[in-house]
Amino acid sequence: MTKFNIKTYNNIALKGLERLPKESFILNDSDDPEGVILRSYNLHEEPINPLLLAVARAGAGYNNIPVDALADEGVVVFNTPGANANSVKELVLSTMIAHARNMFQAKDWADELTGEDIPGQVEKGKSQFQGWEIRGKTMGVIGLGSIGHLVANDAQALGMNVIGYDPYISVEAAWKINQYVTQAPSLEEVLQKSDYLTIHVPYTKDTHHLIDEHAVNLMKDHAVLLNFSRADLIDEEAVVKALNHQRLGSYITDFPNDTVMGNEHCVLLPHLGASTIEAEANSAVMAANQLKAYLETGEIINSVNYPNVQMRLTSPTRISVCNRNVRNIIAYLSSLLSEQDINIDRIINKSRGELAYTLVDVPETDKEKLDKIIKDLNEQDGILKARLIKDKKHDAWYA
């Protein structure tokens, strides 16, 4: 039986690793694995191993992974959208409430109290920390996906007026949004109306500095900007400038750095968004399940570089092909099968931008024939990686 080598980076929750049974997977025993599971480890500096088939990120963000370079080598990259959504949502809302009630400053002050009459000092000094309620304030949510829609719904349940913006919202996500959450037609409208603004979009070249100087200047002078997604979504130099000139109320971020350190109007947290036992376990389980499915069946679920493709494996043999989205790839594959007198049981092909992915199920179990087909496919221009998948339920392979 084929065994896959899996390399892990960071501490991956045991609950996830348990999804990779020892009879089929070997953990951390090779520097040339077929699969990788990681969290925040920077994979950009690592050479791409020619045997590598897939990388699974136990988390939603993936800017620590060379997604495009891996795609060019026929390596599928997965993430785990929604696995840590509740943890991030709870941190966003709890931090917002704590900020509104001046809890961070109040705690620091209370920790420094000395003397005999502590209760008396508390009664005299508490007025300096008077805060405000979030009820009735307007919360703007940019990005209404797995995290954003939870933030929007719970903020509305807390009595806030919620306005959201997401031009790319999926039908599935739209159904999950509370009917009382207003969906704005433009980013500008959300910026202008929000007392609190939270951003929940993936970081790409198109979302780099989504909140820039122009966006900050559209916001209310007292507005609070929250960033629990990625640091580079925000032009933090523009934010600090606005804070220093009292054109913005506060900046709350999960990504401390030199630009925002030491500013009295910044609340800095040490990247706690997904740092809960539950979120780490959920992400690890999801990542392991997706990696296992791809290696064993070729199915792609939650890929960030290749199309999602699912087709139940019922034939003895499956051919998996990662390729450029160019003409005649399917025709060439069909001709190779025809030359070997092999019928096609089922076939599925999907594309995603410049890339495509194909699964072909065949009844053939002749190793010599199949090996020749895979060899010819891997030598064809436009094909990035082709491999053979044997269904272990069939006696033809596992007698």
Side-chain angles (χ1 to χ4, degrees), residues 6-9 12 17 20 35-39 56 58 284 287-288 291:
I6 307 298
K7 186 174 181 63
T8 65
Y9 294 91
I12 306 300
L17 298 180
L20 304 173
V36 164
I37 303 180
L38 78 170
R39 291 171 57 202
L291 184 64

Side-chain angles (χ1 to χ4, degrees), residues 217-238:
N217 289 338
L218 291 175
M219 297 174 67
K220 297 178 180 180
D221 289 348
H222 65 267
V224 177
L225 175 62
L226 302 100
N227 180 16
F228 289 84
S229 292
R230 282 292 180 269
D232 287 335
L233 293 169
I234 311 294
D235 181 350
E236 292 183 327
E237 290 186 358

Side-chain angles (χ1 to χ4, degrees), residues 118-384:
I118 299 297
Q121 294 180 56
V122 167
E123 289 306 311
K124 284 184 178 181
K126 68 179 183 180
S127 61
Q128 63 185 301
F129 303 111
Q130 184 180 43
W132 56 90
E133 297 181 6
I134 62 167
R135 183 178 182 86
K137 306 299 188 299
T138 297
M139 162 71 94
V141 182
I142 300 174
L144 294 166
S146 55
I147 298 174
H149 87 270
L150 293 179
V151 173
N153 288 350
D154 282 14
Q156 194 281 326
L158 288 169
M160 302 186 77
N161 303 312
V162 182
I163 179 170
Y165 175 71
D166 191 337
Y168 306 108
I169 189 170
S170 67
V171 174
E172 181 182 3
W175 276 105
K176 296 177 181 178
I177 299 173
N178 187 296
Q179 62 177 322
Y180 297 108
V181 173
T182 301
Q183 295 195 47
S186 68
L187 175 61
E188 287 74 16
E189 182 172 333
V190 179
L191 295 168
Q192 292 168 346
K193 291 184 176 181
S194 299
D195 299 304
Y196 292 89
L197 181 71
T198 183
I199 183 168
H200 299 285
V201 301
Y203 176 71
T204 68
K205 61 181 181 181
D206 295 324
T207 58
H208 178 76
H209 286 184
L210 180 63
I211 304 301
D212 56 13
E213 185 172 8
H214 172 71
V216 171
N217 289 338
L218 291 175
M219 297 174 67
K220 297 178 180 180
D221 289 348
H222 65 267
V224 177
L225 175 62
L226 302 100
N227 180 16
F228 289 84
S229 292
R230 282 292 180 269
D232 287 335
L233 293 169
I234 311 294
D235 181 350
E236 292 183 327
E237 290 186 358
V239 167
V240 169
K241 180 180 177 182
L243 291 171
N244 291 339
H245 289 83
Q246 298 184 327
R247 288 188 285 101
L248 188 66
S250 299
Y251 179 49
I252 301 174
T253 180
D254 211 17
F255 312 101
N257 56 65
D258 291 341
T259 303
V260 294
M261 292 292 292
N263 191 296
E264 63 178 330
H265 303 294
C266 293
V267 176
L268 310 179
L269 299 178
H271 202 176
L272 296 178
S275 293
T276 64
I277 294 171
E278 294 85 353
E280 291 185 7
N282 291 342
S283 296
V285 167
M286 194 170 175
N289 284 343
Q290 291 167 178
L291 184 64
K292 181 175 186 291
Y294 180 67
L295 295 178
E296 291 187 338
T297 73
E299 291 190 320
I300 297 179
I301 306 167
N302 289 327
S303 172
V304 300
N305 55 0
Y306 277 89
N308 291 330
V309 176
Q310 291 181 264
M311 184 171 76
R312 187 171 170 230
L313 178 57
T314 57
S315 300
T317 308
R318 169 168 284 180
I319 297 171
S320 160
V321 182
C322 295
N323 59 275
R324 306 272 181 210
N325 188 15
V326 295
R327 291 182 295 177
N328 298 323
I329 296 293
I330 301 299
Y332 178 69
L333 173 56
S334 298
S335 69
L336 291 178
L337 293 169
S338 179
E339 288 171 7
Q340 297 294 334
D341 197 27
I342 298 176
N343 292 325
I344 294 175
D345 286 342
R346 289 198 298 172
I347 183 171
I348 185 171
N349 169 265
K350 288 188 178 181
S351 62
R352 179 175 180 173
E354 297 180 354
L355 299 172
Y357 184 67
T358 305
L359 292 178
V360 182
D361 288 354
V362 298
E364 187 60 64
T365 59
D366 186 302
K367 185 177 185 301
E368 186 176 344
K369 287 184 178 182
L370 293 167
D371 285 347
K372 184 180 187 309
I373 289 172
I374 296 301
K375 179 177 180 295
D376 289 345
L377 285 171
N378 280 316
E379 292 175 351
Q380 175 69 14
D381 287 344
I383 292 180
L384 302 169

